[in-house]
Amino acid sequence: MTEFFKWCDTATRQVRFFWDRSDIAAELTAHYEDHVKDLERIGFDHDLALERALEAMGDAKEVGRALDRVHKPLLGWLWLASKVMVPVLALAAFFVFGSNMNWFSRFTHPAPRDGQYEADGFFRFSPGDWECEQSVRVLTGTGDCVVERSGDTWSVPYAAVWKCDYPGDNDTAGYTLYWTTVALARDDQNPFDSPRSDFTEDLILTASDGTYYDTYYDYIGTDENGKVIRGPADGRLAVSQTASDPFRTLYYISFTGPTQDDPPGAWCELSYPYGESWTIHIDWEEAVS
């Protein structure tokens, strides 16, 4: 991991708005570690997986410059300045809305609507990543129903399967991995409510081949050195809240595991199994280029 940390430090130093650097580093590290695990699962030893995953990250300075174009320093400084210039408004908001001062910031980053999902590629890859340039959207889908629960409207307005062909070299053959996104939207919410994220820990997803995905790691066994191995018993869901405004919260969900070497069957179902449980069914269709 030492070489990756050097790579990550070089990449994040290209981002001029340094308040964003720690968050960017965390995202890059999560992506790198997921890729290492994927390579180990298909037969690479640990050291080779670290090396190949780092190669796939691309040139650190180019990635950093691409990230800098997204995290524009002018907008960042304006945002910081606005926090300083409006203390009276902030104080008034505190008395009106309580301690939830993040409510106003939700106006500045509206959740995507009307097809503006993953316009720049699979959301788990940062702009400038090799995979972001090479991945192709091969399947798309939407949820078959809208769920009403406690004044909220839940739906899946967008889902997609991305295909990425990785080249081989003299020692290993090329391989293909499939990355999947399911966008779960919460609409018609009370605009003064804070978006919930705790429920995402209990989401489950089932693919048409019977593969079961959740967010939990279970005890799997031990390796040859007696070290405990933990991981998803079947497949892993990764959930991140990516956008929220007073009237919509959007969660991007991806899943990886046994079926990542192949497309995820004909359909999948996203479910919340507790309380007023619900299930949304998604049929996959060939993506229109």
Side-chain angles (χ1 to χ4, degrees):
M1 291 288 286
T2 301
E3 292 301 319
F4 168 75
F5 291 136
K6 293 179 180 178
W7 182 97
C8 191
D9 181 65
T10 299
T12 54
R13 284 181 181 273
Q14 312 308 309
V15 179
R16 288 167 291 172
F17 190 61
F18 53 85
W19 270 277
D20 284 351
R21 289 179 181 177
S22 60
D23 290 338
I24 292 171
E27 292 180 7
L28 291 172
T29 301
H31 163 56
Y32 176 71
E33 292 176 345
D34 282 347
H35 197 175
V36 170
K37 292 176 182 177
D38 290 333
L39 292 175
E40 290 178 329
R41 183 171 53 79
I42 62 176
F44 285 72
D45 64 48
H46 182 66
D47 291 339
L48 184 57
L50 292 173
E51 179 183 342
R52 295 296 165 78
L54 182 58
E55 291 174 357
M57 296 292 287
D59 182 80
K61 290 185 177 180
E62 290 184 6
V63 172
R65 286 191 287 267
L67 288 166
D68 180 63
R69 290 193 293 271
V70 175
H71 297 262
K72 299 181 185 298
L74 177 59
L75 295 178
W77 285 114
L78 288 174
W79 176 73
L80 287 177
S82 69
K83 294 176 63 178
V84 176
M85 297 299 293
V86 291
V88 174
L89 180 61
L91 183 61
F94 178 82
F95 288 109
V96 175
F97 302 113
S99 59
N100 184 17
M101 300 308 295
N102 291 325
W103 187 84
F104 286 105
S105 68
R106 292 161 61 195
F107 282 107
T108 64
H109 302 285
R113 292 169 171 81
D114 301 326
Q116 299 301 310
Y117 308 100
E118 295 192 300
D120 298 322
F122 179 49
F123 83 99
R124 291 291 296 278
F125 296 132
S126 300
D129 279 359
W130 182 87
E131 288 96 336
C132 200
E133 301 295 331
Q134 300 298 320
S135 296
V136 178
R137 190 161 24 203
V138 293
L139 300 174
T140 58
T142 56
D144 68 335
C145 65
V146 173
V147 178
E148 301 285 348
R149 292 290 186 276
S150 302
D152 295 325
T153 301
W154 298 89
S155 64
V156 175
Y158 165 86
V161 176
W162 296 85
K163 174 185 176 183
C164 187
D165 295 318
Y166 291 83
D169 55 25
N170 295 332
D171 299 323
T172 60
Y175 60 96
T176 297
L177 292 179
Y178 292 87
W179 310 91
T180 306
T181 300
V182 175
L184 175 64
R186 174 196 181 205
D187 291 298
D188 299 328
Q189 61 197 50
N190 184 329
F192 301 113
D193 283 349
S194 297
R196 287 185 57 206
S197 60
D198 56 329
F199 80 96
T200 60
E201 299 177 359
D202 298 315
L203 288 173
I204 59 174
L205 187 142
T206 306
S208 58
D209 65 357
T211 308
Y212 177 91
Y213 301 85
D214 61 25
T215 61
Y216 294 95
Y217 281 93
D218 300 323
Y219 172 79
I220 294 178
T222 57
D223 61 17
E224 63 275 9
N225 299 317
K227 183 178 179 180
V228 173
I229 302 174
R230 292 184 178 276
D234 206 343
R236 178 192 177 194
L237 274 184
V239 184
S240 60
Q241 180 182 311
T242 60
S244 179
D245 59 46
F247 304 102
R248 163 172 278 204
T249 303
L250 188 75
Y251 304 88
Y252 280 165
I253 302 167
S254 66
F255 55 95
T256 58
T259 62
Q260 197 175 357
D261 300 327
D262 300 293
W267 54 264
C268 66
E269 288 184 339
L270 183 66
S271 302
Y272 182 73
Y274 300 106
E276 295 182 275
S277 61
W278 50 261
T279 296
I280 298 177
H281 180 95
I282 303 148
D283 285 316
W284 295 117
E285 299 180 353
E286 185 175 348
V288 177
S289 59

